[in-house]
Amino acid sequence: MTSTDSAQKAPAKDPWDLPDVSGLVVGVLGGTGPQGKGLAYRLAKAGQKVIIGSRAADRARTAAEELGHGVEGADNAETARRSDIVIVAVPWDGHGKTLESLREELAGKLVVDCVNPLGFDKKGAYALKPQEGSAAEQAAALLPDSRVTAAFHHLSAVLLEDPEIEEIDTDVMVLGEVRADVEIVQALAGRIPGMRGIFAGRLRNAHQVESLVANLISVNRRYKAHAGLRITDV
């Protein structure tokens, strides 16, 4: 048997065989905003070590005390330096400037971009298309020494922050270029009860995932809901 035959017969890796991420430190840039704060709360409640970052360290520390569960607060630079995985949950209008200023601190880190470039007018929310193609692709362009992925776009901050809700009934679409990095983020999502992380393509496909939030906002307004997504048959 040739080496080629052997490679062809090798069993496929189970897509649900994900790594143990319980010992990794997670930093959340923009961790004092609703989405970032909600994610920090859920991950910390699940036993993850979490640091939330803000431009003002005092503001981050105050928010961390409110969250409890061992969450710490620091300025964005310290948060980036101390974390293994860094979730970017800053407002879109400050996205590029924030990442550019943290290029050195984020070098070598696994960066998870969950920013949704949206505009709003009298007709409601609509998607914006960054010059790079998406927020995640902008992050990859600005952070050449980081490992950039995209995930956590479609989560309701209201549900994330509600301590009465035990499980978040949703899937998390995860995009990235390196399978091992994507699987780490999938595993991180799976730490939160009710969530699954689902591979959803490479970063070039991030725009439509980010844009879908505009549709979910329309759903929520019509039905007075906090809609999420489920991927069927996987």
Side-chain angles (χ1 to χ4, degrees):
M1 181 182 293
T2 67
S3 58
T4 302
D5 291 334
S6 178
Q8 289 174 342
K9 293 180 182 298
K13 183 179 183 295
D14 181 353
W16 297 111
D17 180 15
L18 301 173
D20 178 8
V21 298
S22 59
L24 299 180
V25 178
V26 178
V28 184
L29 305 182
T32 58
Q35 186 183 27
K37 196 173 180 182
L39 270 172
Y41 170 68
R42 289 292 164 176
L43 289 169
K45 189 178 180 182
Q48 208 75 34
K49 174 59 186 173
V50 178
I51 307 169
I52 58 174
S54 174
R55 286 178 295 178
D58 289 346
R59 186 180 176 197
R61 283 192 283 267
T62 298
E65 289 174 9
E66 293 172 359
L67 291 176
H69 297 283
V71 176
E72 293 185 49
D75 64 32
N76 282 332
E78 182 182 343
T79 298
R81 281 194 299 268
R82 292 178 56 195
S83 302
D84 302 302
I85 304 173
V86 180
I87 298 173
V88 181
V90 300
W92 167 241
D93 58 6
H95 181 264
K97 186 176 180 181
T98 299
L99 295 184
E100 198 169 18
S101 71
L102 296 171
R103 182 176 295 171
E104 182 177 337
E105 289 83 359
L106 290 170
K109 307 290 183 176
L110 176 53
V111 174
V112 187
D113 201 298
C114 65
V115 175
N116 303 302
L118 297 176
F120 295 87
D121 60 19
K122 63 183 180 181
K123 295 182 179 180
Y126 60 95
L128 303 174
K129 188 156 189 178
Q131 182 178 355
E132 297 84 356
S134 63
E137 288 168 294
Q138 183 183 88
L142 292 172
L143 304 172
D145 298 319
S146 303
R147 296 139 54 207
V148 176
T149 60
F152 300 116
H153 301 91
H154 306 134
L155 306 180
S156 164
V158 173
L159 298 184
L160 289 174
E161 292 188 283
D162 188 342
E164 298 298 313
I165 294 175
E166 292 297 323
E167 295 190 359
I168 305 295
D169 181 22
T170 194
D171 287 330
V172 172
M173 300 176 77
V174 185
L175 303 96
E177 300 301 317
V178 179
R179 181 169 179 169
D181 292 339
V182 169
E183 289 180 346
I184 289 171
V185 181
Q186 287 180 260
L188 186 67
R191 295 273 288 159
I192 299 174
M195 277 192 199
R196 296 187 306 173
I198 305 287
F199 171 67
R202 294 178 178 267
L203 288 185
R204 68 181 184 180
N205 290 320
H207 171 65
Q208 58 264 36
V209 174
E210 296 169 0
S211 300
L212 190 56
V213 174
N215 302 89
L216 290 177
I217 289 172
S218 297
V219 170
N220 290 337
R221 286 181 175 174
R222 175 63 62 90
Y223 299 100
K224 311 299 183 191
H226 303 292
L229 294 178
R230 277 295 187 198
I231 308 299
T232 62
D233 202 32
V234 293

